[in-house]
Each structure stands twice: as C-alpha cells, then as structure tokens.
Amino acid sequence: MMPAPLTSTLGAFVAAIGREGAPADARAAAVTGFIDTCATTIAGRREPAVQVLLEASRPLPAGRAPLFFGEQATDASTAALLNGTAAHALDYDDVALRGHPSAVLVSTILALGAQTGACGADMLDAYVAGYEVWADLVDRETDIHHVKGWHPTGIFGAIGASAAASVLLRLDAGQCAHALGLGASQSAGVMSNFGAMAKPFHVGRAAQAGVLAARLAKAGFTASADALEHPQGFLAAVSPQGRVDRERPAAAGRPFQIADRRANVKRYPLCYYTHRALDGMLALRVRHGVQADQVAQVEVRMSQEHATVLRNHRPTTGLAAKFSIEFAMASALCNGRAGLAELGDACVQAPGVQRLIERVTVIPIPADDPQTPGAAYADQVFVTLRDGSRLEGEPVHQALGHARRPLDRTQLRAKFSDALAYGGHVGDAAALFERLAGLDCQERVFA
C-alpha cells in the first residue's frame, strides 16, 4: 500500500491542531520559545539591519500588529517581516531542528494573532503545529543543508510559518496543504549571507511568507498537492545529495516531537556552533586563572561541518564575529565573556582581541554525535601558554542552555531582563516575563 501523500497528510495534521488544540506538554514546551523570542526581538530592534529594513518599509501599512513589543503597529505581513528580522538580528534566539524555529514561528504568530484576536492557547497551538511540521521535514534529510549552502531556517521556516499561520486562520485540511505548498515556494536563504544583514532577513522573510501563504490559501489560491514530496518538489530540491526520504508516512504529532526535542536557549549572542567551545574556554580560564597575554596558541577541536559554518576567520565587525570561532575564543580570553557588549565593532577590533584571533586554530574531528547531525560528540579547547605549558579544557557535549541542560527559571529571567535592557525597553520587564510565562491562560494577548 502506498503511503498517504506527505503534503496532504501534513495539511490534515495542521488542520486538526487548529480544531482540537495541542497536548498540554507540547504547549508548555512552546512557552519558552515565546519568552526567548520576545527577549531577542526587543534586544535586536535597534540593530542596523532592523532599522534599515524599517526605513525601507515606510510608509508602514496600517494595522494592529505591534512592532518590537512597543507602541508602533502595522499590518501582520510587515510586522512578521520586521519582528522576525529583529528576533534574529543578534543571533541570540533559540536553536533546534537545524535552525532557529522560535524566531520564525513566534514572529508569525504574534503578528497574525494580533489581527485575529487569538488567545494565548491558540498561539501556542500554532507554534506546536509549525514546530512539528518543521521537525517532520528536517528529519527526512541525511545530509547537512549548511554544507550545500542552504540556511535551514529560511527554507524550512517558510513552511513551518505557513503551518502556524494556518492554525490561526482556522484553515481546513485542503487549505492547510495549499498553504504548506505556497510556503515551500517561498523558501530561501543562503549560507554566503551569514555575517551580513541578509541572515536575519531570512527569518523575517520566512515569517512573512507564512502569513502570506495562509492568507492566500484561505482565499482559494492553490499549490500542488505534492509540493513537498514530488521528485521535483521541496525536499528533493533542497537536499544536498538527494539522500532524502520523500516516501515514509508523515510523523508529525506521532508522537509530538516538541516535548522531547525542546529548543536550545542560547547563552551567548553568537552562532550556536561556538557555544560548546565557549563553555569549555570560559571554564578553563576560570579554573587555571589564564590571562590573555599568557596565551601563545589556542586549539579548538570541533567537526568540520560546524567549522564550515563559522566562516569568518579574521572578523572586524560584530556581525562577522558572530560566525567566528576565533573571535569567540579571543573574547572569552580577553573579556571573560562573549555577550552583547562584546559584539560591538570596537570590541571586535580591539588590539588584544585581534592578536588572539590570529592564534586560534581549528582541528576538525569526526561528526559523531548521534543526537546532533553534523556535530562532534564533544567540542574541546586546548591552550598553549608562552612558557610552553599546555592546558586541556573539559570536553563539552552539550552547552548550558541545551534542551538537556536547560537554563533554570532564574537564568532564563536573567537573559530576558538583560536583553530587554540592551534593547532599551522602558516597560516592566518582570511583568512581561510573567505574562508570557502564563500565555496558555491569556484570553486576550493583545488589547
């Protein structure tokens, strides 16, 4: 017996979430995504990429969707684009499913939810639907999209956002399938734009694509019934080597993935592939009392797949430094941290940081982590001092903030507060945190 077509089966799954809601544990897992994305959106709203995009979008269309959790509002499509770009502008948003699901999904949901008057539970259901569809699709691929040049957030995000938006618009199964196909035709994002304004734009465009896809599908606009699984469809088109499973039945919601595969919350506003080595270097620095001027050489052992993403070996700007393991190690040694304050251009260009950047070497090791395709089982740092002694950092399998090493409520609140302060938020940060934490009980998210 032939399996049911993937596009239509996923469409039926999304429609069912819209009718029946998501399980309580799945909704609970989605809450952290809203908290973290709110924080990174506010923190990123003053970044040049966001401000340039905002000016280029003027005059803003009228609407009820708030921008950057502030007073200004516009229509859902524009809000999804701008908020999504802000959410990812600092590369501080959460990570899962080979990309950044919450920045895309939450930006889509908050923008469209403001228009539809969605309650908190509806928004959480929409997030779960988008997350599950994203997981189903990304899990079919054997190879690493980054290596081919694709940014997974942009290509899978447009489809995940279409699923989320479909829940909020209460589309039926056929309309949901069309929305997924329309999302697939808007998928985009290339690796060569990492370290430039275009990378967070991928997130904004994916969120905007979801709003448009669902609206079009509701109006009767169609996509192919097999847009995802066709030999010339989405999965085959983006597959790095064609080793993608287009035939197995849809697994979304059987069981729900989100409860066991929660997103990983970032402690540092740099590419997530730097985080294990950062944890290791910061711990080594404290344990041995290492000073930057003592260091002759730094060796980082990580997979070639992750090293390829960290493409900027001699960064001189904050944007470029986000994708530089050399900068991450230099900042850890020179500053004892790698936070928002260290990502200014002046900090990246500081002579001490630049000297250490030149002393960092990457040694590729096998990508043998069964839980994380493309990752080594553990990343590890080694430091050679000027006196010839060699210090060995502890191997780090999972960075703090990983779903299996989650931030506790105090740590999550601290990141939230710091991010809001960085973004110049003037409201009550503690009250906003609690409001988001209780999203499932919010009858009216937007006044």
Side-chain angles (χ1 to χ4, degrees), residues 47-68:
E47 291 300 293
V50 179
Q51 291 303 307
V52 170
L53 184 57
L54 178 60
E55 289 305 311
S57 301
R58 295 190 189 279
L60 297 177
R64 294 183 294 171
L67 288 178
F68 322 128

Side-chain angles (χ1 to χ4, degrees), residues 11 57 62 69 94 192 204 219 263 301 328 330 417 444:
S57 301
F69 296 89
D94 66 24
S192 57
R301 297 186 182 182
S417 298
R444 192 75 175 168

Side-chain angles (χ1 to χ4, degrees), residues 14-149:
V14 172
I17 293 288
R19 292 191 310 269
E20 303 162 13
D25 60 344
R27 283 183 178 174
V31 168
T32 301
F34 279 84
I35 292 172
D36 196 60
T37 303
C38 171
T40 62
T41 300
I42 292 174
R45 63 187 178 179
R46 298 191 295 192
E47 291 300 293
V50 179
Q51 291 303 307
V52 170
L53 184 57
L54 178 60
E55 289 305 311
S57 301
R58 295 190 189 279
L60 297 177
R64 294 183 294 171
L67 288 178
F68 322 128
F69 296 89
E71 299 292 328
Q72 194 172 16
T74 185
D75 72 311
S77 178
T78 306
L81 172 64
L82 289 163
N83 286 338
T85 302
H88 193 53
L90 291 166
D91 229 287
Y92 205 12
D93 49 312
D94 66 24
V95 179
L97 310 180
R98 306 193 192 186
H100 300 269
S102 292
V104 175
L105 298 177
V106 172
S107 300
T108 305
I109 293 163
L110 290 176
L112 196 55
Q115 173 187 301
T116 62
C119 67
D122 291 339
M123 291 186 173
L124 293 173
D125 290 342
Y127 181 104
V128 172
Y131 198 97
E132 294 295 315
V133 167
W134 192 324
D136 184 287
L137 296 176
V138 80
D139 286 350
R140 294 171 180 275
E141 180 55 64
T142 301
D143 299 300
I144 306 302
H145 293 91
H146 293 93
V147 174
K148 178 65 175 176

Side-chain angles (χ1 to χ4, degrees), residues 380-396:
Q380 191 172 11
V381 298
F382 298 83
V383 174
T384 301
L385 302 180
R386 291 188 178 280
D387 64 7
S389 58
R390 183 173 167 85
L391 308 177
E392 180 176 336
E394 292 293 325
V396 179

Side-chain angles (χ1 to χ4, degrees), residues 278-301:
L278 267 168
D279 278 356
M281 178 59 82
L282 289 169
L284 182 149
R285 182 180 183 274
V286 170
R287 186 168 64 250
H288 295 283
V290 178
Q291 301 298 312
D293 59 6
Q294 297 176 290
V295 175
Q297 187 71 31
V298 176
E299 178 183 302
V300 182
R301 297 186 182 182

